[in-house]
Amino acid sequence: MTAAEFVVVANRLPVDRVVAPDGEESWRTSPGGLVAALEPVMKTVDGAWVGWAGQADLELEPFEANGIRLIPIALSEQEVEEYYEGFANDTIWPLYHDVIAPPQFHREWWEAYVAVNHRFAEAAASAVAQGGTVWVHDYQLQLVPEMVRTLRPDVTIGYFHHIPFPAHGLYAQLPWRDQVLRGLLGADVIGFQRAQDATYFLAAVRRRLQHPVKGSLVEVPGEEGSRRVLAKAFPISIDTAPYLELIQKPEVRARAAEIRKSLGDPKRILLGVDRLDYTKGIRHRIKAYGELLTEGRLSVEDVTFIQVASPSRERVDAYVHLRDEIELAVSRINGDFDTMVHTAIRYLHQGFPREEMVALYLAADVMLVTALRDGMNLVAKEYIATRADNRGVLVLSEFTGAADELRQAIRVNPHDIEGLKDAIMTAVEMEPAEQSRRMRSLRKRVLEHDVKVWSSSFLDALADVRAQRS
């Protein structure tokens, strides 16, 4: 495989392996924000994508799928357990999400994280052309930028952090805090979802490493003099085109009408769409909705709540407990309030193709995004993109990155159950003219600042670095 001018490094490849009953193997595009964000970019450049195929002990040669060159990284069962389920998802994820769940610190997990990051870095260094660009993504690979720089000082390196970065008081708990900062500072440009995240990162660099920081620039000392690293917010978005296309399809619109009918044609449908994760505030919105039913402020004849919770990290204990807790809460509310015709909560622990999601967005009058902490939350933007009639209401947690941009949403503190209940009632009772005023503004923001604008702004920043260096 020839060297690529542009190499993406992410924990997962942008495709999932599918084995048919007859044993035939194929690859389909993965769901998820990162793939949706980068696939359009990858098809316009001489690029390659380094990532894990999602299955332990799977050794694969580089191959091509959907017009993208793919370089698979093999992980053993133990590495999946220690690097991915352990350090990435039971240490970094909870720590960076404000310790909503307690992070676990294990030295063997850290050692696996270092070893796996090195394997990714070596693959990227081998794949990239002389003077090319490497773009590393997310918290699973925070050490890769520095490792690539050591192996290939000729290339330009970007890193984008898709999840929040914590305040220093929390970050300082990490035993390997300085090593992670140095790993990230191997990049020329470090992107965050929110200005607040960049500020927290720069504060950690100043306090822990004592590097000079001026505005968004860090002076990183080196043997051949210092170099400047840019660390700032580049809020990610969605590729709006598929959503605008799908909402025009008669079969998708018919499916939306069918969903409403199957729920007994309630006056209002509330919708939540999340990975099953303790950061998403699913318990909080279920509690708020249940109390509104108990108090008689809502009735199941008038208002139905659909909660899509796609499976996530099912081998991590915290997620197993969360699923049990949510399913118990749902069954209690349904037991108390369901009628023969109407269901209080339609709970769906499964993922759906984009067409079905768009039908759900079209059917929903109110979108509930009540994350306790979220880097961005692209579901909020997907919902807005489908609302071509300028109807519908977004209830949005102030602790999401999206809250910085989507200012016409009804903003909530999801920890305040009374405030969340009032916000739901405001959304349910909002007049069409007010819905239209708010949604028109939200759609303008999402359609004008789509994923192409996001990727272009980040890649332009990398190009500026390259130009300064040459």
Side-chain angles (χ1 to χ4, degrees), residues 351-389:
F352 292 99
R354 186 180 281 167
E355 289 82 357
E356 184 73 357
M357 290 311 307
V358 169
L360 278 167
Y361 291 148
L362 288 174
D365 302 286
V366 178
M367 186 81 217
L368 300 177
V369 177
T370 59
L372 308 181
R373 196 78 165 87
D374 214 336
M376 175 53 64
N377 195 287
L378 296 179
V379 163
K381 295 186 176 185
E382 290 171 3
Y383 178 72
I384 290 165
T386 65
R387 310 306 296 184
D389 61 358

Side-chain angles (χ1 to χ4, degrees), residues 120-294:
F120 274 84
E122 286 180 323
S126 299
V128 66
Q130 185 71 25
T133 298
V134 173
W135 193 1
V136 184
H137 286 269
D138 223 2
Y139 66 101
Q140 302 95 342
L141 303 172
Q142 293 175 99
L143 307 180
V144 169
E146 183 186 33
M147 291 171 170
V148 171
R149 181 162 299 284
T150 301
L151 294 165
R152 292 292 303 275
D154 59 293
V155 304
T156 306
I157 303 166
Y159 171 88
F160 189 78
H161 195 75
H162 292 258
I163 69 172
F165 195 89
H168 187 261
L170 295 176
Y171 181 75
Q173 295 178 29
L174 184 66
W176 308 280
R177 55 206 180 177
D178 295 356
Q179 294 96 311
V180 168
L181 292 176
R182 288 193 193 97
L184 294 170
L185 288 169
D188 295 292
V189 178
I190 306 171
F192 296 93
Q193 300 282 25
R194 309 179 82 165
Q196 181 189 66
D197 297 323
T199 300
Y200 286 159
F201 170 76
L202 291 166
V205 167
R206 194 186 293 115
R207 292 180 66 168
R208 303 276 351 137
L209 305 181
Q210 277 85 51
H211 292 343
V213 175
K214 189 173 183 182
S216 300
L217 293 168
V218 182
E219 288 280 343
V220 180
E223 291 176 10
E224 298 175 14
S226 65
R227 57 184 187 85
R228 285 184 165 185
V229 174
L230 175 67
K232 59 172 280 195
F234 295 87
I236 199 170
S237 195
I238 60 168
D239 182 8
T240 56
Y243 295 92
L244 299 177
E245 193 178 305
L246 283 168
I247 60 176
Q248 302 300 329
K249 290 192 171 182
E251 60 269 31
V252 174
R253 302 183 78 81
R255 175 64 186 138
E258 190 182 309
I259 289 168
R260 289 197 79 95
K261 189 175 180 185
S262 72
L263 296 169
D265 279 320
K267 291 178 184 173
R268 294 284 184 272
I269 293 176
L270 313 179
L271 176 63
V273 175
D274 311 85
R275 275 191 313 103
L276 185 62
D277 192 290
Y278 50 74
T279 64
K280 300 297 184 183
I282 301 171
R283 287 175 292 199
H284 297 63
R285 78 183 71 132
I286 288 172
K287 183 176 179 62
Y289 175 67
E291 288 188 12
L292 288 170
L293 292 175
T294 300

